[in-house]
Amino acid sequence: VQLQASGGGLVQSGGSLRLSCVVSGRWNHYGVGWYRQAPGKERERVSCISGMDGSTYPVASLEGRFTISADENTVYLQMNSLKPEDTAVYYCGADPLDRCDLDAIGPFTIWGQGTQVTVSS
């Protein structure tokens, strides 16, 4: 599969954005995750969804503000109540063995190009 992320932009604190990750090809045995990377920091998970059964694996600290969902060929990340510390490049990644439950970045071997999210205070 290939991934194409979009939807980033500049938003004020408290605002919302919805990111989209278009997945080309069948992904019913992939896990697709959203990750983010702020300048000078490691890439960190935001959420993950199983292509097999639609189970979601949100990060506890972001649950309630960030929600992952998907339709046939797009994985979405709805981000509400955004804060300046959410500023980062957001990437979608795919794990060919659908291992969202591992909460590890290593299995994600396919990446989209990233989309910048900037939250102003």
Side-chain angles (χ1 to χ4, degrees), residues 64-79:
R65 294 196 301 123
F66 289 16
T67 304
I68 194 169
S69 63
D71 60 23
E72 184 175 354
N73 61 2
T74 305
V75 177
Y76 303 97
L77 183 69
Q78 178 67 44
M79 305 185 296

Side-chain angles (χ1 to χ4, degrees), residues 44-108:
E44 63 176 1
R45 175 182 285 200
V46 174
S47 196
C48 193
I49 188 166
S50 166
M52 183 176 297
D53 62 9
S55 296
T56 61
Y57 299 82
V59 169
S61 61
L62 299 175
E63 193 172 14
R65 294 196 301 123
F66 289 16
T67 304
I68 194 169
S69 63
D71 60 23
E72 184 175 354
N73 61 2
T74 305
V75 177
Y76 303 97
L77 183 69
Q78 178 67 44
M79 305 185 296
N80 299 325
S81 302
L82 283 162
K83 305 175 181 180
E85 53 262 43
D86 295 319
T87 295
V89 178
Y90 284 69
Y91 299 89
C92 55
D95 168 16
L97 297 181
D98 198 356
R99 292 165 290 185
C100 284
D101 58 323
L102 293 184
D103 192 13
I105 194 172
F108 290 82

Side-chain angles (χ1 to χ4, degrees), residues 3 15-16 32 88 96-97 109 117:
L3 308 175
S16 298
V32 175
L97 297 181
T109 56
V117 172

